[in-house]
Amino acid sequence: MLSTRVAQLVVFLICVNLIPTTPIVEERPFHAADGGIGVAVGKSRKRVFPQPHTQEPNPIFEAYGYCNIPNRTEQAWEGHSPADYKLLSVHVMIRHGDRYPLYSIPKTKRPAIDCTLSTSRKPSHPLLDSFIHHMGLGGCGHWESPLGSVPRLPSHSACEMGELTQTGVVQHLRNGQLLHHAYKQHSLFPSDWSPRQIWVETTGKSRTLQSGLAFLYGFLPDFDWTKLTVRHQWSTLFCGSACDCPARNRYLEEEQRRQYQLRAADTELERTYMDMARTLGLPTRQLRAANPVDSLLCHLCHGLSFPCVPIGDSGAGGCLTMEQFAVIRRQQLDDEVDRRRAGLYHKYAILAMYPYLNRTAAKMERIAKSSEAGRQPRSAGEEVFTLSSAHDVTVAPLLSALGLEEARFPRFAARIVFELWKSPPAIQGQVKKRSGKGEKSKAKYGETFIRVLYNGEDVTFHTTFCRSHDRHVSQPLCPLKNFLSFVRRDMFSVVNATSYKEACYRRPG
């Protein structure tokens, strides 16, 4: 168990946020706002949107929230719909599971964590043993370069930097199994599914590849490797061939400048870093570069004591304290409020995630059209399940781009799910009430709707494109056309443009 002292530290550490210093590189330290304290628009069932509070949050509860330790029953609202609605497709983006730190703190011992997989070690999962065996058959799959050379399982008894842990594997076995049970009754695709019907993509890091495979195995146990192609996304933004966007880079640079100026003006924060560096016997600049919070989060999530250094002749030595991290957390909360006020990150997020959202919208529209009566479906079926295994630097801007800026920062193994639904055909009397010919046709054969879920909670009516939709009319879900209009035109109003190309290449000023 965590000591009382370490447990108290949790509240100040769990909301550390990482976004990229460039749009296509790995996670680096940055104070983001998606985990901040705020008031949700509309209703929220649980804790996707933090509620205003008058007392300090429980540190243990907050630690479990970010670490996402798989030791509790989770309610998933995926697969819920009005009666007789048909599920047409599901598109999932996940953050990788629990990982070893990306940084080490100089002069301290690295956390002792075993990254091999063992059913006798906790946390475990009923599918873990068969998952390990099934990954050994992965040579039969199809792998886009360079994924074929990336290990399919974490395998080091002393974890390497950034390596997925057994906790991370179990988190995504659970995620996949949750969605397996949620969609089983909807017959999303048949047992003899075709390669065209499932799309899996990941960045080239072992932790995202392994997380995606664990999720897929939980979702589709003992899947046929010969039907599976795992595709590579070279950018953490999943922007494919549409990654070039000068304006996006400028917004990110301006946002980083805003953050730096706010932090530099905080004299208490600077004194705290100096105290921490003195304890460890390091220059303050070196301590900042080592990003101690990333390592300390790992200690907390795995119930390990914080690292200390022996007291030496110079007076350096001891352990990092709760008071020091209280200052860091307070500054992060200030930064989160200021970030939302400035709006620069939201503009960055709109341009960063447009390519992914546009691909998702195109897939949904294609599936919706193929479901219309009278159309001949493709012989091999449509792409009905998409899995994108990504990083917090992917999920955080996606939340912001959707207008979910008050949502909690992506925890380990976070998931965003887009569902496409079709309503049952309207009865003849309802069809006659429709005005246009096109509307009558859609009503006759059923209309298409979208749901968005974050960590199992329905956040559809918190999104920008459906916040104002009247849920009390005859359409209890969000019309797909709202999402299509948002992605193809409306989202660019934030940057005073009408298209991605205009927003990216228009000269500033």
Side-chain angles (χ1 to χ4, degrees):
M1 293 183 63
L2 295 172
S3 68
T4 302
R5 183 180 183 84
V6 172
Q8 289 175 315
L9 286 169
V10 174
V11 67
F12 306 113
L13 297 177
I14 53 138
C15 293
V16 171
N17 304 328
L18 306 170
I19 72 170
T21 55
T22 63
I24 60 174
V25 297
E26 277 302 300
E27 301 130 307
R28 296 183 184 178
F30 193 89
H31 301 320
D34 296 276
I37 298 169
V39 182
V41 177
K43 295 180 179 179
S44 182
R45 287 190 186 93
K46 292 194 170 86
R47 303 181 183 92
V48 169
F49 295 95
Q51 298 297 318
H53 65 274
T54 56
Q55 60 182 14
E56 288 300 314
N58 181 287
I60 297 298
F61 168 77
E62 292 289 338
Y64 278 118
Y66 181 82
C67 299
N68 193 20
I69 298 172
N71 61 354
R72 57 188 172 80
T73 301
E74 183 177 351
Q75 174 67 56
W77 290 92
E78 286 93 348
H80 289 239
S81 74
D84 301 323
Y85 276 58
K86 177 177 175 56
L87 182 64
L88 298 181
S89 69
V90 175
H91 310 265
V92 184
M93 176 175 280
I94 60 174
R95 182 193 176 188
H96 61 74
D98 178 85
R99 59 155 171 79
Y100 200 72
L102 298 173
Y103 307 84
S104 60
I105 304 176
K107 296 188 177 182
T108 67
K109 291 183 179 181
R110 289 171 51 182
I113 298 174
D114 187 346
C115 274
T116 59
L117 302 182
S118 171
T119 56
S120 62
R121 188 171 66 248
K122 293 183 178 180
S124 190
H125 191 278
L127 291 177
L128 183 60
D129 192 46
S130 58
F131 167 71
I132 295 170
H133 172 74
H134 198 67
M135 291 303 103
L137 308 176
C140 300
H142 306 280
W143 305 85
E144 280 191 359
S145 180
L147 299 179
S149 60
V150 179
R152 294 184 288 275
L153 294 172
S155 59
H156 296 91
S157 56
C159 293
E160 295 191 340
M161 305 303 286
E163 187 171 10
L164 194 71
T165 66
Q166 176 160 315
T167 299
V169 170
V170 170
Q171 286 168 336
H172 278 304
L173 286 173
R174 285 169 56 93
N175 271 346
Q177 193 173 55
L178 275 172
L179 266 63
H180 170 80
H181 292 306
Y183 298 132
K184 182 167 56 175
Q185 61 179 322
H186 296 288
S187 302
L188 188 59
F189 40 74
S191 57
D192 59 342
W193 53 272
S194 71
R196 183 192 292 275
Q197 292 177 296
I198 295 182
W199 176 282
V200 178
E201 59 185 359
T202 176
T203 63
K205 295 297 180 181
S206 61
R207 60 183 174 276
T208 50
L209 174 66
Q210 294 163 5
S211 292
L213 292 174
F215 184 103
L216 185 64
Y217 190 78
F219 182 70
L220 204 62
D222 298 320
F223 59 83
D224 187 344
W225 277 110
T226 63
K227 296 181 181 181
L228 184 68
T229 297
V230 184
R231 295 168 172 84
H232 177 239
Q233 278 285 348
W234 66 276
S235 166
T236 57
L237 297 180
F238 283 59
C239 47
S241 60
C243 287
D244 185 42
C245 184
R248 177 198 64 211
N249 301 341
R250 288 196 299 271
Y251 285 129
L252 184 58
E253 289 169 2
E254 291 177 30
E255 165 63 9
Q256 290 173 329
R257 190 155 46 244
R258 177 209 61 78
Q259 185 225 9
Y260 172 79
Q261 291 171 350
L262 188 70
R263 190 172 60 227
D266 195 321
T267 55
E268 186 182 19
L269 180 69
E270 184 60 28
R271 286 197 304 269
T272 298
Y273 268 113
M274 291 174 64
D275 290 342
M276 293 167 62
R278 189 161 41 248
T279 297
L280 299 175
L282 298 171
T284 305
R285 190 178 296 269
Q286 184 180 357
L287 175 66
R288 285 183 180 274
N291 189 19
V293 177
D294 186 52
S295 179
L296 293 172
L297 275 169
C298 181
H299 283 79
L300 289 167
C301 291
H302 289 263
L304 304 174
S305 299
F306 273 28
C308 302
V309 295
I311 297 176
D313 296 335
S314 64
C319 305
L320 302 179
T321 69
M322 178 188 69
E323 291 77 15
Q324 291 166 339
F325 279 94
V327 174
I328 293 176
R329 181 62 190 135
R330 188 268 308 157
Q331 197 280 330
Q332 288 178 329
L333 295 175
D334 291 346
D335 182 74
E336 290 166 358
V337 172
D338 195 62
R339 184 181 112 169
R340 286 194 290 269
R341 176 199 60 78
L344 293 167
Y345 183 77
H346 182 55
K347 293 178 179 180
Y348 159 75
I350 287 288
L351 300 182
M353 296 315 300
Y354 166 77
Y356 171 82
L357 286 170
N358 188 49
R359 281 195 298 131
T360 302
K363 290 178 182 181
M364 287 186 161
E365 185 177 42
R366 190 165 57 244
I367 294 167
K369 287 182 177 179
S370 72
S371 72
E372 294 175 4
R375 288 183 176 266
Q376 291 296 321
R378 295 186 187 185
S379 58
E382 290 289 342
E383 184 181 302
V384 295
F385 180 75
T386 300
L387 175 62
S388 302
S389 186
H391 304 261
D392 58 353
V393 296
T394 325
V395 178
L398 180 56
L399 290 169
S400 180
L402 293 170
L404 301 171
E405 294 191 274
E406 300 286 351
R408 289 202 180 278
F409 185 78
R411 67 193 188 189
F412 286 130
R415 66 183 188 271
I416 299 179
V417 176
F418 299 85
E419 297 176 343
L420 180 64
W421 294 88
K422 184 174 183 178
S423 64
I427 60 175
Q428 191 63 28
Q430 291 175 320
V431 174
K432 289 181 179 180
K433 293 179 182 179
R434 301 279 182 172
S435 55
K437 182 178 179 181
E439 291 297 320
K440 287 183 180 181
S441 175
K442 290 179 182 178
K444 182 178 179 181
Y445 298 115
E447 299 180 66
T448 48
F449 301 87
I450 184 174
R451 286 179 79 220
V452 182
L453 301 102
Y454 181 44
N455 294 334
E457 295 295 322
D458 189 339
V459 296
T460 309
F461 296 102
H462 296 288
T463 62
T464 300
F465 60 87
C466 236
R467 200 170 287 152
S468 60
H469 179 67
D470 185 357
R471 285 167 278 177
H472 301 293
V473 298
S474 59
Q475 300 173 339
L477 300 181
C478 182
L480 176 63
K481 64 182 180 181
N482 287 29
F483 180 60
L484 299 180
S485 296
F486 171 73
V487 172
R488 292 167 181 172
R489 183 188 63 249
D490 300 342
M491 67 189 294
F492 300 111
S493 64
V494 174
V495 290
N496 297 318
T498 58
S499 70
Y500 182 61
K501 183 176 181 179
E502 179 190 358
C504 288
Y505 295 102
R506 186 177 56 201
R507 291 182 179 275

